[in-house]
Amino acid sequence: MKRILALVLSLAMLLAFSACGSGILEEPTSAESEPVYALQSGDNIHTIALVSDTQKYGEKTYNELFDALVADKDTYGIEYVVHTGDIIQEGGDLDAKWQVAKAAISKLDGVIPYGVLAGNHDQNVNSDAPFEAFSKYFGDETYKDCEYFAGSYADCQAHAQLITIGSTDFIFVYLCSDPDVDCMKFAGEMFAKYSDRVGVLCTHKYLEDDFELSETGEFLSGIVKANENVKLVLCGHESAAGYVDLKLDDGRVVPQIMADYQDASNEGSIMYLQIDEDAGTLTGISYSPITKSYDGYRDCDTDQFQIKLPW
């Protein structure tokens, strides 16, 4: 009954958001005729590492990935790390799994700013407190010493971070998978409060594997429409990597990027989003810092792309 009520409330909120403008989804961009975009380094290259759906990782892979991100920080200008959920897979010794993930991700502490959200596998839907484990390991306490932490709702079911990358001031807002109306309200309030910053919405369920909006994405796109400073959406959940644009009546073209490599043949693949302010480009590059390979999804022609900066 609670989920039904939340869905009804979310639909009402979506309708209110949608009054601000409609959006048109474009087909995913194909990189079939484009060259491979290799990782770049240099003073004017600023990189966001987009990690998602690491629930199948064992301790070795988890540690190798985050060790590599720390080691490559200066080489590739990694200034921020986003994890869009499904940190663990339910089943087995859950506490042990959370401890492995926490230890690995905590390697970023004091080295690279980062944010983490709860995917569907990170929630115990059969519990009266579905976020209890997530909040224990990645709640407000995670960011208590971080100047970039801007606030949260319900111990990080949703939270916001103020990050400067290159010459651009951002607000990253994180929403758990299947957020309730209060989570969505928090997101809208934070984007509005920091309307002078470039907004990035980070969530879990947003796009289907064909890059159409999911049911949840339909709701959450209302937040994008309602806040003119939102210029980018980052998500995971489905086994695919690439992007699709959302065209809005206010003239914005908002790239919606999904980077979920849980079924990729290349172990440890993630999406590197490289910002070149001189060239005015945002380049998405599938790369595994573990295998040092660009294979990503070997049969995929959308997991590498280069677009104009949307801000």
Side-chain angles (χ1 to χ4, degrees):
M1 180 61 72
K2 290 181 180 179
R3 299 298 270 181
I4 294 173
L5 178 58
L7 185 60
V8 171
L9 290 172
S10 297
L11 180 58
M13 176 173 263
L14 174 64
L15 293 174
F17 283 144
S18 297
C20 299
S22 60
I24 302 172
L25 280 171
E26 291 188 338
E27 291 298 315
T29 298
S30 171
E32 184 176 6
S33 61
E34 299 292 333
V36 171
Y37 295 108
L39 287 169
Q40 302 296 310
S41 59
D43 293 340
N44 296 318
I45 300 296
H46 311 281
T47 303
I48 299 170
L50 176 53
V51 183
S52 195
D53 296 84
T54 52
Q55 70 264 41
K56 296 180 181 178
Y57 283 8
E59 183 173 7
K60 180 176 181 291
T61 301
Y62 239 131
N63 282 310
E64 285 181 344
L65 173 60
F66 285 92
D67 280 337
L69 289 174
V70 171
D72 291 343
K73 172 181 179 290
D74 294 331
T75 302
Y76 298 123
I78 302 172
E79 298 180 29
Y80 193 52
V81 177
V82 175
H83 194 308
T84 56
D86 278 359
I87 303 162
I88 70 159
Q89 184 86 6
E90 66 267 24
D93 189 339
L94 293 184
D95 202 53
K97 292 179 181 181
W98 281 111
Q99 289 175 19
V100 166
K102 180 67 174 180
I105 295 173
S106 294
K107 294 173 184 290
L108 302 176
D109 288 343
V111 182
I112 306 173
Y114 66 94
V116 181
L117 62 88
N120 56 297
H121 287 291
D122 302 320
Q123 303 175 39
N124 184 355
V125 296
N126 297 317
S127 168
D128 291 334
F131 293 93
E132 183 176 7
F134 174 81
S135 293
K136 175 182 176 181
Y137 289 97
F138 292 101
D140 290 351
E141 185 72 12
T142 302
Y143 309 103
K144 64 183 176 69
D145 297 323
C146 301
E147 293 182 356
Y148 57 81
F149 189 60
S152 74
Y153 165 74
D155 210 4
C156 283
Q157 288 183 37
H159 75 277
Q161 300 185 358
L162 306 180
I163 301 291
T164 297
I165 299 173
S167 62
T168 303
D169 293 329
F170 291 89
I171 175 168
F172 286 80
V173 176
Y174 289 77
L175 287 179
C176 63
S177 181
D178 302 306
D180 63 21
V181 68
D182 288 327
C183 281
M184 295 174 67
K185 181 180 179 182
F186 171 86
E189 289 173 347
M190 295 306 289
F191 283 131
K193 181 178 180 179
Y194 295 99
S195 59
D196 58 331
R197 288 174 169 262
V198 171
V200 181
L201 176 62
C202 305
T203 191
H204 187 64
K205 292 181 182 178
Y206 188 87
L207 296 173
E208 302 286 2
D209 58 8
D210 60 0
F211 292 87
E212 294 290 334
L213 284 172
S214 66
E215 182 178 359
T216 302
E218 293 283 357
F219 291 125
L220 297 185
S221 66
I223 299 174
V224 180
K225 297 169 188 175
N227 295 278
E228 293 184 0
N229 59 320
V230 179
K231 307 293 185 182
L232 190 65
V233 178
L234 306 177
C235 68
H237 185 60
E238 297 288 352
S239 298
Y243 87 101
V244 63
D245 281 330
L246 180 65
K247 285 191 172 182
L248 301 173
D249 288 346
D250 61 14
R252 279 179 295 154
V253 178
V254 180
Q256 302 162 122
I257 299 173
M258 179 162 59
D260 173 356
Y261 298 88
Q262 62 179 295
D263 294 326
S265 50
N266 189 14
E267 181 184 26
S269 290
I270 64 173
M271 177 75 75
Y272 289 72
L273 299 173
Q274 293 207 301
I275 300 167
D276 187 331
E277 293 182 324
D278 291 342
T281 57
L282 176 67
T283 306
I285 302 166
S286 293
Y287 179 75
S288 169
I290 297 175
T291 66
K292 309 298 183 185
S293 169
Y294 292 92
D295 283 346
Y297 281 105
R298 290 175 180 165
D299 298 324
C300 179
D301 60 4
T302 63
D303 69 345
Q304 55 179 316
F305 54 85
Q306 186 172 86
I307 58 178
K308 292 182 179 179
L309 286 179
W311 51 82

